[in-house]
Amino acid sequence: MELYENKEIVQRALLVGIDTGEYDAEGSMAELYELCESAGAIPVASMMQKREKPDGATCVGSGRIEEIKQFCTDNEIDLLIFDTELTPTQIRNIENETDVRTIDRTMLILDIFAIRARTNEGKLQVELAQLRYLMPRLSGKGREMSRLGGGVGTRGPGETKLETDKRHIRRRIEYLKDDLRHMTDRREQLRSRRKKDGIITVAIVGYTNAGKSTLMNTLTQAGVLSENKLFATLDPTSRALLLPSGISVMMIDTVGLVRRLPHHLVEAFKSTLEEAALADIILNVCDASNSEYKLHLDVTNSLLHDLGCEDRPIITVFNKCDLIGNPLDLPGGRDSVRICAKNGAGIDSLLRAIEENLPVRLRSYTLMIPFNKAGVCATLRQAGALKTEEYTADGIRVEAIVGEELWHIAEQYKC
């Protein structure tokens, strides 16, 4: 058992995990500690039990339940958080044994999502995920049904609906799914418009708290919320970025990832994650100062694989390199860069890497086209390459982003 000191009196939580050997239980518990803090609770202590499999009644054994009960009594614990997904029966049994409200890892993540959602789509996605998860947990009258006390695990758009009958909740789920379908259609129309207009998209993905929003702000001055908290950004943000060559791309910030993110949460935010799946270039941002950065990269790469992104250029961006001893110790390669998004170090290398991975070879030109060659302007305009067009005494002055197939024409009129 590990104790944590914190004098602030909020909700005091005891973290409980089981080690079945299926995953890194210690690393997962350390992440649960961060999730707990991000939700606004105080992780007072953690307990771990090695088992071949979770106990069907209380997840941990009867002896450990007694130990948990005694610790909660002695230390004024308000909340038990289990680092696994609990069944309704397990939650009810644990609460009956300990007399302490109990939630699991999924409920905790949903609670943080409820806090972080800002856009209407984000709020609808959170509510849908909450209702889908809580639907089978509505029978009985255990503590998990009591929403009057508030606190971690009770927040979000769905909280006022949990006492209603299942038929109403099913109707609400269908309503939310229908609303989100319309939003997905509008998002698809926007993607199609971008593609038609030749807009190149660059998606920022990565583990939560890796510095994605800070990078977005550094590159585009987007003003995205940037905090040292898990899931500080939940809603996607899009901003234009002008590359040194004069080519403009659309940067898209996406929701952060954690290990063992429940499948139905991935499903709930699939429309958001599709922004990454359909991007022309993907930046996989990783906190290089975290001792588990390799695992974080694996989690992100696994999701990108599931989304079918293998055919897209993926640039590994090692962030927070100012916090490590020797950045050169990090894995190198043509498709990786080392930066510090906070102070701007390495950003030039990142921009070069983006340009080298553009889906088409483009060049920025300033041209002076004679009036008797005005057809060249029409050719550039038809190709969607013309940015500005100005009639002067000497001819038509244009700025254009020109693809490789038109370089031979642009070179003739280059200023």
PDB file of all heavy atoms in Angstrom, residues 72-91:
ATOM      1  N   CYS A  72     -10.703   2.541   5.054  1.00  0.00           N
ATOM      2  CA  CYS A  72     -11.658   3.614   4.757  1.00  0.00           C
ATOM      3  C   CYS A  72     -12.206   4.230   6.048  1.00  0.00           C
ATOM      4  O   CYS A  72     -12.365   5.452   6.144  1.00  0.00           O
ATOM      5  CB  CYS A  72     -12.816   3.082   3.914  1.00  0.00           C
ATOM      6  SG  CYS A  72     -12.348   2.642   2.223  1.00  0.00           S
ATOM      7  N   THR A  73     -12.457   3.386   7.041  1.00  0.00           N
ATOM      8  CA  THR A  73     -12.962   3.878   8.328  1.00  0.00           C
ATOM      9  C   THR A  73     -11.903   4.714   9.041  1.00  0.00           C
ATOM     10  O   THR A  73     -12.197   5.785   9.587  1.00  0.00           O
ATOM     11  CB  THR A  73     -13.367   2.703   9.222  1.00  0.00           C
ATOM     12  OG1 THR A  73     -14.382   1.937   8.543  1.00  0.00           O
ATOM     13  CG2 THR A  73     -13.910   3.182  10.547  1.00  0.00           C
ATOM     14  N   ASP A  74     -10.667   4.241   9.035  1.00  0.00           N
ATOM     15  CA  ASP A  74      -9.589   4.919   9.754  1.00  0.00           C
ATOM     16  C   ASP A  74      -9.146   6.213   9.087  1.00  0.00           C
ATOM     17  O   ASP A  74      -8.610   7.103   9.750  1.00  0.00           O
ATOM     18  CB  ASP A  74      -8.369   3.988   9.880  1.00  0.00           C
ATOM     19  CG  ASP A  74      -8.665   2.774  10.740  1.00  0.00           C
ATOM     20  OD1 ASP A  74      -9.660   2.809  11.488  1.00  0.00           O
ATOM     21  OD2 ASP A  74      -7.901   1.784  10.644  1.00  0.00           O
ATOM     22  N   ASN A  75      -9.353   6.330   7.776  1.00  0.00           N
ATOM     23  CA  ASN A  75      -8.803   7.467   7.032  1.00  0.00           C
ATOM     24  C   ASN A  75      -9.859   8.342   6.361  1.00  0.00           C
ATOM     25  O   ASN A  75      -9.538   9.154   5.498  1.00  0.00           O
ATOM     26  CB  ASN A  75      -7.813   6.967   5.978  1.00  0.00           C
ATOM     27  CG  ASN A  75      -6.585   6.337   6.587  1.00  0.00           C
ATOM     28  OD1 ASN A  75      -5.623   7.021   6.912  1.00  0.00           O
ATOM     29  ND2 ASN A  75      -6.616   5.012   6.748  1.00  0.00           N
ATOM     30  N   GLU A  76     -11.122   8.167   6.754  1.00  0.00           N
ATOM     31  CA  GLU A  76     -12.222   9.008   6.249  1.00  0.00           C
ATOM     32  C   GLU A  76     -12.254   9.037   4.725  1.00  0.00           C
ATOM     33  O   GLU A  76     -12.271  10.097   4.097  1.00  0.00           O
ATOM     34  CB  GLU A  76     -12.114  10.437   6.814  1.00  0.00           C
ATOM     35  CG  GLU A  76     -12.200  10.497   8.329  1.00  0.00           C
ATOM     36  CD  GLU A  76     -12.110  11.926   8.851  1.00  0.00           C
ATOM     37  OE1 GLU A  76     -11.741  12.818   8.062  1.00  0.00           O
ATOM     38  OE2 GLU A  76     -12.414  12.138  10.023  1.00  0.00           O
ATOM     39  N   ILE A  77     -12.254   7.845   4.131  1.00  0.00           N
ATOM     40  CA  ILE A  77     -12.291   7.732   2.673  1.00  0.00           C
ATOM     41  C   ILE A  77     -13.728   7.912   2.179  1.00  0.00           C
ATOM     42  O   ILE A  77     -14.664   7.297   2.699  1.00  0.00           O
ATOM     43  CB  ILE A  77     -11.736   6.364   2.226  1.00  0.00           C
ATOM     44  CG1 ILE A  77     -10.268   6.223   2.648  1.00  0.00           C
ATOM     45  CG2 ILE A  77     -11.877   6.177   0.724  1.00  0.00           C
ATOM     46  CD1 ILE A  77      -9.337   7.251   2.040  1.00  0.00           C
ATOM     47  N   ASP A  78     -13.888   8.778   1.162  1.00  0.00           N
ATOM     48  CA  ASP A  78     -15.215   9.062   0.603  1.00  0.00           C
ATOM     49  C   ASP A  78     -15.527   8.226  -0.633  1.00  0.00           C
ATOM     50  O   ASP A  78     -16.697   8.088  -1.024  1.00  0.00           O
ATOM     51  CB  ASP A  78     -15.313  10.536   0.189  1.00  0.00           C
ATOM     52  CG  ASP A  78     -14.900  11.478   1.293  1.00  0.00           C
ATOM     53  OD1 ASP A  78     -15.520  11.420   2.357  1.00  0.00           O
ATOM     54  OD2 ASP A  78     -13.946  12.267   1.091  1.00  0.00           O
ATOM     55  N   LEU A  79     -14.471   7.701  -1.281  1.00  0.00           N
ATOM     56  CA  LEU A  79     -14.658   7.124  -2.605  1.00  0.00           C
ATOM     57  C   LEU A  79     -13.646   6.007  -2.849  1.00  0.00           C
ATOM     58  O   LEU A  79     -12.458   6.161  -2.557  1.00  0.00           O
ATOM     59  CB  LEU A  79     -14.471   8.226  -3.669  1.00  0.00           C
ATOM     60  CG  LEU A  79     -14.634   7.862  -5.137  1.00  0.00           C
ATOM     61  CD1 LEU A  79     -16.084   7.497  -5.441  1.00  0.00           C
ATOM     62  CD2 LEU A  79     -14.193   9.040  -6.012  1.00  0.00           C
ATOM     63  N   LEU A  80     -14.125   4.882  -3.384  1.00  0.00           N
ATOM     64  CA  LEU A  80     -13.248   3.803  -3.845  1.00  0.00           C
ATOM     65  C   LEU A  80     -13.219   3.831  -5.370  1.00  0.00           C
ATOM     66  O   LEU A  80     -14.276   3.886  -6.021  1.00  0.00           O
ATOM     67  CB  LEU A  80     -13.769   2.447  -3.372  1.00  0.00           C
ATOM     68  CG  LEU A  80     -13.673   2.134  -1.879  1.00  0.00           C
ATOM     69  CD1 LEU A  80     -14.362   0.804  -1.578  1.00  0.00           C
ATOM     70  CD2 LEU A  80     -12.221   2.091  -1.440  1.00  0.00           C
ATOM     71  N   ILE A  81     -12.004   3.800  -5.940  1.00  0.00           N
ATOM     72  CA  ILE A  81     -11.863   3.780  -7.401  1.00  0.00           C
ATOM     73  C   ILE A  81     -11.085   2.528  -7.776  1.00  0.00           C
ATOM     74  O   ILE A  81      -9.913   2.385  -7.411  1.00  0.00           O
ATOM     75  CB  ILE A  81     -11.137   5.033  -7.923  1.00  0.00           C
ATOM     76  CG1 ILE A  81     -11.841   6.318  -7.448  1.00  0.00           C
ATOM     77  CG2 ILE A  81     -11.078   5.001  -9.448  1.00  0.00           C
ATOM     78  CD1 ILE A  81     -11.141   7.598  -7.865  1.00  0.00           C
ATOM     79  N   PHE A  82     -11.731   1.631  -8.525  1.00  0.00           N
ATOM     80  CA  PHE A  82     -11.095   0.386  -8.952  1.00  0.00           C
ATOM     81  C   PHE A  82     -10.492   0.561 -10.343  1.00  0.00           C
ATOM     82  O   PHE A  82     -11.136   1.128 -11.243  1.00  0.00           O
ATOM     83  CB  PHE A  82     -12.099  -0.763  -8.952  1.00  0.00           C
ATOM     84  CG  PHE A  82     -12.294  -1.392  -7.600  1.00  0.00           C
ATOM     85  CD1 PHE A  82     -12.910  -0.693  -6.566  1.00  0.00           C
ATOM     86  CD2 PHE A  82     -11.837  -2.678  -7.352  1.00  0.00           C
ATOM     87  CE1 PHE A  82     -13.092  -1.267  -5.321  1.00  0.00           C
ATOM     88  CE2 PHE A  82     -12.010  -3.273  -6.104  1.00  0.00           C
ATOM     89  CZ  PHE A  82     -12.622  -2.559  -5.076  1.00  0.00           C
ATOM     90  N   ASP A  83      -9.265   0.056 -10.516  1.00  0.00           N
ATOM     91  CA  ASP A  83      -8.553   0.210 -11.778  1.00  0.00           C
ATOM     92  C   ASP A  83      -8.927  -0.900 -12.762  1.00  0.00           C
ATOM     93  O   ASP A  83      -8.073  -1.516 -13.398  1.00  0.00           O
ATOM     94  CB  ASP A  83      -7.040   0.207 -11.530  1.00  0.00           C
ATOM     95  CG  ASP A  83      -6.259   0.647 -12.766  1.00  0.00           C
ATOM     96  OD1 ASP A  83      -6.794   1.466 -13.525  1.00  0.00           O
ATOM     97  OD2 ASP A  83      -5.131   0.153 -12.968  1.00  0.00           O
ATOM     98  N   THR A  84     -10.203  -1.191 -12.844  1.00  0.00           N
ATOM     99  CA  THR A  84     -10.721  -2.180 -13.783  1.00  0.00           C
ATOM    100  C   THR A  84     -12.209  -1.904 -13.942  1.00  0.00           C
ATOM    101  O   THR A  84     -12.773  -1.084 -13.217  1.00  0.00           O
ATOM    102  CB  THR A  84     -10.486  -3.616 -13.260  1.00  0.00           C
ATOM    103  OG1 THR A  84     -10.851  -4.548 -14.274  1.00  0.00           O
ATOM    104  CG2 THR A  84     -11.293  -3.888 -11.995  1.00  0.00           C
ATOM    105  N   GLU A  85     -12.840  -2.560 -14.897  1.00  0.00           N
ATOM    106  CA  GLU A  85     -14.270  -2.345 -15.077  1.00  0.00           C
ATOM    107  C   GLU A  85     -15.038  -3.312 -14.180  1.00  0.00           C
ATOM    108  O   GLU A  85     -14.826  -4.523 -14.231  1.00  0.00           O
ATOM    109  CB  GLU A  85     -14.661  -2.543 -16.544  1.00  0.00           C
ATOM    110  CG  GLU A  85     -16.075  -2.094 -16.843  1.00  0.00           C
ATOM    111  CD  GLU A  85     -16.327  -1.874 -18.325  1.00  0.00           C
ATOM    112  OE1 GLU A  85     -15.603  -1.076 -18.946  1.00  0.00           O
ATOM    113  OE2 GLU A  85     -17.255  -2.521 -18.852  1.00  0.00           O
ATOM    114  N   LEU A  86     -15.922  -2.774 -13.361  1.00  0.00           N
ATOM    115  CA  LEU A  86     -16.699  -3.563 -12.408  1.00  0.00           C
ATOM    116  C   LEU A  86     -18.088  -3.860 -12.957  1.00  0.00           C
ATOM    117  O   LEU A  86     -18.662  -3.051 -13.697  1.00  0.00           O
ATOM    118  CB  LEU A  86     -16.831  -2.818 -11.078  1.00  0.00           C
ATOM    119  CG  LEU A  86     -15.536  -2.484 -10.335  1.00  0.00           C
ATOM    120  CD1 LEU A  86     -15.843  -1.595  -9.134  1.00  0.00           C
ATOM    121  CD2 LEU A  86     -14.800  -3.744  -9.908  1.00  0.00           C
ATOM    122  N   THR A  87     -18.637  -4.993 -12.556  1.00  0.00           N
ATOM    123  CA  THR A  87     -20.023  -5.316 -12.905  1.00  0.00           C
ATOM    124  C   THR A  87     -20.945  -4.633 -11.896  1.00  0.00           C
ATOM    125  O   THR A  87     -20.519  -4.255 -10.793  1.00  0.00           O
ATOM    126  CB  THR A  87     -20.263  -6.832 -12.851  1.00  0.00           C
ATOM    127  OG1 THR A  87     -20.128  -7.272 -11.496  1.00  0.00           O
ATOM    128  CG2 THR A  87     -19.272  -7.575 -13.738  1.00  0.00           C
ATOM    129  N   PRO A  88     -22.232  -4.464 -12.237  1.00  0.00           N
ATOM    130  CA  PRO A  88     -23.170  -3.885 -11.267  1.00  0.00           C
ATOM    131  C   PRO A  88     -23.199  -4.653  -9.959  1.00  0.00           C
ATOM    132  O   PRO A  88     -23.271  -4.063  -8.876  1.00  0.00           O
ATOM    133  CB  PRO A  88     -24.508  -3.978 -11.999  1.00  0.00           C
ATOM    134  CG  PRO A  88     -24.166  -3.990 -13.442  1.00  0.00           C
ATOM    135  CD  PRO A  88     -22.861  -4.717 -13.546  1.00  0.00           C
ATOM    136  N   THR A  89     -23.114  -5.990 -10.040  1.00  0.00           N
ATOM    137  CA  THR A  89     -23.124  -6.814  -8.820  1.00  0.00           C
ATOM    138  C   THR A  89     -21.900  -6.539  -7.962  1.00  0.00           C
ATOM    139  O   THR A  89     -21.997  -6.423  -6.734  1.00  0.00           O
ATOM    140  CB  THR A  89     -23.177  -8.305  -9.196  1.00  0.00           C
ATOM    141  OG1 THR A  89     -24.370  -8.563  -9.931  1.00  0.00           O
ATOM    142  CG2 THR A  89     -23.155  -9.177  -7.943  1.00  0.00           C
ATOM    143  N   GLN A  90     -20.731  -6.438  -8.597  1.00  0.00           N
ATOM    144  CA  GLN A  90     -19.505  -6.162  -7.846  1.00  0.00           C
ATOM    145  C   GLN A  90     -19.582  -4.808  -7.145  1.00  0.00           C
ATOM    146  O   GLN A  90     -19.209  -4.682  -5.972  1.00  0.00           O
ATOM    147  CB  GLN A  90     -18.297  -6.204  -8.777  1.00  0.00           C
ATOM    148  CG  GLN A  90     -17.907  -7.604  -9.215  1.00  0.00           C
ATOM    149  CD  GLN A  90     -16.830  -7.602 -10.276  1.00  0.00           C
ATOM    150  OE1 GLN A  90     -16.748  -6.691 -11.110  1.00  0.00           O
ATOM    151  NE2 GLN A  90     -15.988  -8.632 -10.266  1.00  0.00           N
ATOM    152  N   ILE A  91     -20.071  -3.790  -7.843  1.00  0.00           N
ATOM    153  CA  ILE A  91     -20.195  -2.465  -7.231  1.00  0.00           C
ATOM    154  C   ILE A  91     -21.115  -2.522  -6.018  1.00  0.00           C
ATOM    155  O   ILE A  91     -20.791  -1.994  -4.943  1.00  0.00           O
ATOM    156  CB  ILE A  91     -20.725  -1.430  -8.260  1.00  0.00           C
ATOM    157  CG1 ILE A  91     -19.690  -1.185  -9.349  1.00  0.00           C
ATOM    158  CG2 ILE A  91     -21.075  -0.110  -7.559  1.00  0.00           C
ATOM    159  CD1 ILE A  91     -20.163  -0.253 -10.445  1.00  0.00           C
TER     160      ILE A  91
END
